């Protein structure tokens, strides 16, 4: 794993930890379980899939796994919007989590686009 990959993986882990804390908050304070579990699962999957991609068997496999991580990041953004619009979290927390999820989405998308351009 190179330094860039390590940094991205750390961002994924940090985001997964934030999502876990969000799940605990929603469970304990808001008694919201379904949406809390959904956002935690999709947010955690981003890093797990990125980690799998780093150890892919081929460049095509790498791109495929990154594509799934990209979808999980997009799903996480969806759930954050729902949770916010249901008034389970305030604007500051929403904007912070949204910014982190969007950053991961953009980074993963940029890697995919770069690899596909290189492969053409």
């Amino acid at each position: 794993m190179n330094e860039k990959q390590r940094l991205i993986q750390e961002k994924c882990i940090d985001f997964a930890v934030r999502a876990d804390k969000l799940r605990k908050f929603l469970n304990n304070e808001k008694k919201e379980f379904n949406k809390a579990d959904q956002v935690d699962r999709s947010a955690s999957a981003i890093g797990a899939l990125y980690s799998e991609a780093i150890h892919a068997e081929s460049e095509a496999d790498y791109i495929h796994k990154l594509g799934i991580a990209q979808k999980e990041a997009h799903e996480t953004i969806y759930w954050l919007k729902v949770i916010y619009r249901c008034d389970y979290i305030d604007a500051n927390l929403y904007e912070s989590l949204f910014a982190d999820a969007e950053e991961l989405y953009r980074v993963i998308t940029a890697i995919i686009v770069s690899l596909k351009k290189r492969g053409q």
Side-chain angles (χ1 to χ4, degrees):
M1 176 178 351
N2 65 37
E3 184 63 17
K4 181 180 175 183
Q5 290 171 327
R6 190 189 67 72
L7 289 172
I8 295 168
Q9 188 172 47
E10 284 300 314
K11 284 181 180 285
C12 290
I13 292 168
D14 290 343
F15 187 64
V17 169
R18 289 191 74 198
D20 183 66
K21 290 178 181 180
L22 174 63
R23 179 190 53 78
K24 289 175 184 172
F25 167 77
L26 292 172
N27 287 177
N28 295 333
E29 301 298 322
K30 303 295 184 176
K31 304 302 181 206
E32 165 46 55
F33 302 98
N34 182 46
K35 292 171 193 66
D37 290 343
Q38 292 284 358
V39 73
D40 186 34
R41 274 197 298 274
S42 62
S44 297
I46 299 166
L49 287 158
Y50 183 78
S51 185
E52 283 185 44
I54 292 170
H55 302 287
E57 296 173 7
S58 66
E59 188 169 291
D61 187 35
Y62 182 60
I63 292 169
H64 175 71
K65 284 179 173 41
L66 286 177
I68 299 169
Q70 179 189 44
K71 290 177 185 180
E72 292 294 337
H74 199 267
E75 180 181 342
T76 302
I77 289 167
Y78 169 82
W79 285 116
L80 289 170
K81 288 177 182 179
V82 170
I83 289 166
Y84 175 65
R85 289 184 188 179
C86 288
D87 292 324
Y88 291 128
I89 57 176
D90 65 26
N92 288 334
L93 180 56
Y94 167 72
E95 289 168 9
S96 176
L97 288 164
F98 182 88
D100 285 354
E102 192 172 55
E103 178 185 13
L104 289 173
Y105 179 81
R106 284 193 323 266
V107 166
I108 292 167
T109 299
I111 295 168
I112 293 168
V113 168
S114 175
L115 289 170
K116 285 183 176 180
K117 282 183 182 177
R118 189 178 76 189
Q120 291 178 347

